[in-house]
Amino acid sequence: MARSNAIRESYGDKLFLTAVYVFLAIILVVVLYPLIYILSSSFSSPQAVISGKVWLLPVDFSLAGYKAIFSNPQIMTGYGNSLFYTTFGVLINVSLTIMLAYPLSRTTFYGRNVIMGFLVLTMMFSGGLIPYYLTVKNLHLLDTRWAMLLPGAMAVWQVIIARTFFQSSIPKELGEAAELDGCSDFGFLWRVVLPLSKPILAVLVLMYAVSQWNAYFEALIFLKSQNLFPLQIILRNILILNSIDSSMMVDANKMAAMQGLRDLLKFSLIVVATLPVLAIYPFVQKYFVQGIMIGSLKG
Amino acid sequence: MTGTTGVIERNKTESSIGSRALVIKDRGRRVKRHWQLYLLVLLPIAYLVIFKYVPMYGAQIAFRDFSPVKGIMGSDWVGMKHFSTFFNSPNFWVLIKNTLIISIYSLIVGFPAPILLALALNEVRSMRFKRLVQMVTFAPYFISTIVMVSMIILFLSPRLGFVDHFLSLFGMESQNFMGIPKYFSSIFVWSNVWQGIGYGAVIYLAALSGINVDLYEAARVDGASRIRKVWHIDLPGIMPAAIILLILNVGQIMNVGFEKIYLMQNPLNTSTSEVISTYVYKIGLLGANFSFSSAVDLFNSVINLILLLSVNYVARRISESSLW
């Protein structure tokens, strides 16, 4: 195609194409550079980071930042809690989403439009922060692990994505045939629909897992106890509020060294906190793109 | 469960009852036959009622003087008192102004950015380069708000950040960017673009791939240049998707990301960074002024709803795509 075009390609077209490539190259560098900078800094020595010697590759390779992280009990508790919230959160999220999305995808389900309207309305209007907080408080969920799992148990957008998938990829005839064979709705969902829905299950699990892992708002307003905090709250205390317990600096007794380590630690911490999501990213990307596309088909 | 018997029974009754009654009867049968589907939705519906609709009902706290002892329903009605306090407070115009500046700025920059990226990617013939750009620009989406804000603070900090090192290369002075009020909205908006451009482009790429190939052939026969092709085929092709997303964005105009702004705030920049949502949080949850902050919040929601409805109305009038 490119070759047959080459003869006809005018000067203007070439200029335009060059501009497109320059534009994309700039975007590529602008997005990539900060990520590389963080990664390289995290593997450099505290002195190199402070004096600004790091600009692309690690300088004076060192693992000091990572050592400080892994010897900090607070960060490790946060990591554990985040794993807990993500695992059980996703389990609840995906189950509820399918329980609602599947019936909504069935044309024989009487009342589907009413429920759909009921669902979409929550996207446009909400009671606001205070009534939400009071509701959770009245249910006695404050400062319990449930506060991280129940209030965000389902997302409307994900229900719509799943419903669209079921509607467009589970043939209606399959349901009718199963019904004639005396298969119950539960049986059909469990034995036919779910095995056919692996792509959408992957999309849901990934989307929910990323949002659970990155969640901090619920923790900020509902949790008080240190030992329940997810990693994101610990990150906020260290990275943004700058409050590091000085006892966590294991080998650094001198103030100057401690300050340097404290700055270095931030870079390493960013890497460690983002790693679980970015490590699966190459595998995840294709499903995410699929999910966004399914969702955009028709609301 | 009773699939086959249901069908037989229905056939029997169909001949004996009139059509109107039949429809109702049939509807009842259908509900009965598919009782398991109704059982399935019970839990999700309970979730919606408890965590979405109960708070909506609770929004009436904005019209009462909340006392923790009496609860929401037992507290005294005070009508519009909290609303008028808010409208007359010196904060009112500052909050409205900050909220509008940040959100309109976001809309103007953040809305076209993914469209530009998608259109540019669509022109690229090398699949490897296209995939590379897509993969890299998509990655920041996975970074949490907390990490994102920490990165911004680190990069812009006068001593540590690379921005400072670059500035010193050109002989410019160090600046504490996070502490300068006039920079706040730009930092917020452009970092959002950095994080969301790749994710946002996906929908437009999907729309572009759905454009009929014949159109391009016809354009080529007519001798259209690349730019004309983008302008006359690609842009109209993604219009429906763009309008839907624009409506949704406008409907959220007053809800500028609480999470991110709250984390980016510091005592030096609050004059431009305090928006309605952060104010609600501070006054309400930190200051325990429940009723007043709910009134502010409710005012915000109503403005949003009005914006959404009107933009949707206009879109339906002048184009074929709208939310409903």
Side-chain angles (χ1 to χ4, degrees):
Chain A
M1 171 154 181
R3 192 158 298 169
S4 70
N5 258 352
I7 317 163
R8 308 171 32 108
E9 209 136 86
S10 70
Y11 179 69
D13 278 356
K14 272 187 199 145
L15 198 70
F16 175 65
L17 206 59
T18 313
V20 163
Y21 274 93
V22 170
F23 172 68
L24 288 176
I26 292 174
I27 291 190
L28 191 67
V29 171
V30 168
V31 174
L32 202 55
Y33 184 72
L35 300 174
I36 293 177
Y37 179 77
I38 292 268
L39 198 63
S40 296
S41 298
S42 77
F43 284 109
S44 301
S45 72
Q47 294 78 15
V49 173
I50 295 172
S51 55
K53 282 187 197 135
V54 182
W55 62 275
L56 189 64
L57 294 174
V59 176
D60 299 339
F61 185 86
S62 131
L63 291 172
Y66 291 96
K67 274 191 196 132
I69 290 174
F70 288 106
S71 54
N72 178 349
Q74 221 187 340
I75 296 175
M76 287 299 110
T77 313
Y79 229 92
N81 283 338
S82 278
L83 279 176
F84 175 88
Y85 296 135
T86 305
T87 314
F88 289 96
V90 167
L91 212 64
I92 296 173
N93 292 152
V94 174
S95 312
L96 281 187
T97 303
I98 292 189
M99 285 161 80
L100 186 57
Y102 174 67
L104 284 177
S105 76
R106 293 271 299 253
T107 43
T108 46
F109 184 71
Y110 179 68
R112 67 204 283 260
N113 292 331
V114 179
I115 296 179
M116 199 61 201
F118 188 65
L119 183 74
V120 172
L121 184 67
T122 64
M123 263 176 131
M124 292 190 278
F125 193 79
S126 79
L129 179 66
I130 305 297
Y132 180 59
Y133 172 82
L134 288 176
T135 305
V136 173
K137 188 179 177 213
N138 290 341
L139 292 168
H140 302 287
L141 298 180
L142 286 190
D143 212 22
T144 67
R145 285 187 187 273
W146 291 111
M148 292 297 289
L149 302 174
L150 294 184
M154 192 178 78
V156 177
W157 185 239
Q158 261 73 324
V159 174
I160 294 176
I161 288 180
R163 185 195 72 138
T164 314
F165 178 88
F166 291 139
Q167 246 166 12
S168 56
S169 61
I170 307 289
K172 231 179 140 188
E173 293 75 27
L174 215 56
E176 284 160 7
E179 199 174 317
L180 285 178
D181 287 344
C183 182
S184 71
D185 285 317
F186 284 161
F188 184 65
L189 175 62
W190 190 251
R191 283 196 296 264
V192 181
V193 176
L194 288 183
L196 285 176
S197 306
K198 289 200 183 102
I200 194 65
L201 288 176
V203 169
L204 291 177
V205 167
L206 293 171
M207 287 184 154
Y208 278 126
V210 170
S211 72
Q212 291 278 3
W213 182 263
N214 289 343
Y216 96 96
F217 184 63
E218 268 77 12
L220 180 72
I221 60 176
F222 298 142
L223 296 184
K224 293 236 154 39
S225 316
Q226 290 259 347
N227 61 333
L228 296 180
F229 282 171
L231 184 63
Q232 300 294 334
I233 289 286
I234 313 274
L235 291 181
R236 172 176 172 256
N237 295 344
I238 297 178
L239 294 172
I240 296 171
L241 302 184
N242 239 329
S243 64
I244 310 183
D245 192 351
S246 47
S247 64
M248 65 179 277
M249 297 298 166
V250 201
D251 294 320
N253 295 322
K254 294 174 198 141
M255 277 309 282
M258 209 173 94
Q259 183 58 43
L261 194 54
R262 181 183 285 207
D263 290 331
L264 176 66
L265 178 99
K266 293 182 178 172
F267 290 98
S268 315
L269 199 49
I270 286 176
V271 175
V272 169
T274 318
L275 211 60
V277 203
L278 280 187
I280 50 166
Y281 169 60
F283 314 99
V284 166
Q285 192 207 8
K286 137 179 138 202
Y287 288 110
F288 255 83
V289 170
Q290 234 175 42
I292 304 169
M293 286 181 172
I294 292 170
S296 67
L297 278 180
K298 185 96 184 83
Chain B
M1 195 180 81
T2 53
T4 32
T5 49
V7 172
I8 295 166
E9 271 173 52
R10 198 179 68 175
N11 286 343
K12 232 191 285 173
T13 49
E14 254 170 20
S15 50
S16 57
I17 313 171
S19 67
R20 175 81 192 125
L22 186 82
V23 171
I24 294 168
K25 190 118 189 182
D26 185 52
R27 201 174 272 169
R29 281 271 145 70
R30 228 162 59 189
V31 171
K32 212 165 168 186
R33 182 146 32 96
H34 293 297
W35 62 273
Q36 293 182 332
L37 295 183
Y38 295 86
L39 194 65
L40 273 178
V41 299
L42 277 186
L43 213 52
I45 297 271
Y47 165 75
L48 285 177
V49 170
I50 294 173
F51 290 104
K52 304 281 180 187
Y53 282 87
V54 167
M56 275 189 217
Y57 184 65
Q60 55 174 281
I61 186 177
F63 303 97
R64 296 173 183 265
D65 258 336
F66 180 74
S67 105
V69 188
K70 294 179 188 163
I72 296 180
M73 301 313 142
S75 302
D76 301 327
W77 286 100
V78 292
M80 304 297 282
K81 182 180 119 186
H82 301 297
F83 289 89
S84 53
T85 313
F86 177 52
F87 297 149
N88 293 321
S89 81
N91 284 330
F92 179 72
W93 290 110
V94 178
L95 287 173
I96 298 281
K97 195 181 111 203
N98 289 344
T99 308
L100 280 180
I101 286 179
I102 294 181
S103 50
I104 291 173
Y105 191 174
S106 295
L107 200 63
I108 292 173
V109 173
F111 179 69
I115 299 183
L116 277 180
L117 177 63
L119 288 175
L121 279 173
N122 199 43
E123 292 301 310
V124 171
R125 291 288 161 262
S126 152
M127 280 312 285
R128 280 177 82 187
F129 183 66
K130 187 177 170 178
R131 227 176 299 143
L132 176 74
V133 176
Q134 257 198 288
M135 199 163 157
V136 168
T137 51
F138 200 87
Y141 169 78
F142 295 93
I143 293 172
S144 76
T145 315
I146 302 240
V147 168
M148 186 66 217
V149 175
S150 332
M151 282 169 63
I152 296 171
I153 293 174
L154 276 175
F155 293 159
L156 295 178
S157 74
R159 193 171 39 85
L160 271 176
F162 69 75
V163 175
D164 195 59
H165 299 322
F166 280 130
L167 285 184
S168 63
L169 280 182
F170 297 106
M172 283 187 258
E173 269 178 60
S174 293
Q175 279 189 311
N176 178 17
F177 290 97
M178 293 303 287
I180 301 171
K182 67 175 174 183
Y183 290 145
F184 186 85
S185 53
S186 293
I187 298 172
F188 175 79
V189 168
W190 288 99
S191 60
N192 268 357
V193 170
W194 183 84
Q195 191 171 19
I197 190 169
Y199 182 81
V202 172
I203 289 183
Y204 296 111
L205 281 171
L208 283 170
S209 67
I211 292 176
N212 192 344
V213 192
D214 295 346
L215 291 173
Y216 293 117
E217 293 288 327
R220 180 133 36 112
V221 171
D222 290 345
S225 68
R226 279 183 187 272
I227 296 187
R228 293 192 77 91
K229 195 198 58 135
V230 170
W231 187 255
H232 291 292
I233 303 175
D234 290 349
L235 262 184
I238 57 175
M239 255 339 215
I243 289 175
I244 298 281
L245 289 177
L246 183 67
I247 297 172
L248 288 174
N249 279 337
V250 172
Q252 292 293 315
I253 214 161
M254 307 287 277
N255 282 354
V256 279
F258 163 80
E259 300 199 5
K260 199 175 158 195
I261 293 185
Y262 180 67
L263 292 169
M264 283 173 67
Q265 279 178 344
N266 61 44
L268 295 173
N269 65 23
T270 37
S271 63
T272 56
S273 68
E274 191 80 292
V275 292
I276 295 180
S277 54
T278 54
Y279 183 71
V280 167
Y281 174 72
K282 286 178 192 165
I283 296 287
L285 282 188
L286 302 183
N289 201 341
F290 285 1
S291 284
F292 178 68
S293 90
S294 294
V296 178
D297 212 0
L298 194 60
F299 164 76
N300 198 34
S301 296
V302 170
I303 299 275
N304 267 325
L305 198 61
I306 293 172
L307 280 173
L308 179 76
L309 293 176
S310 28
V311 175
N312 189 63
Y313 177 79
V314 173
R316 204 176 40 191
R317 269 301 176 82
I318 61 175
S319 74
E320 267 138 44
S321 20
S322 64
L323 279 185
W324 59 87

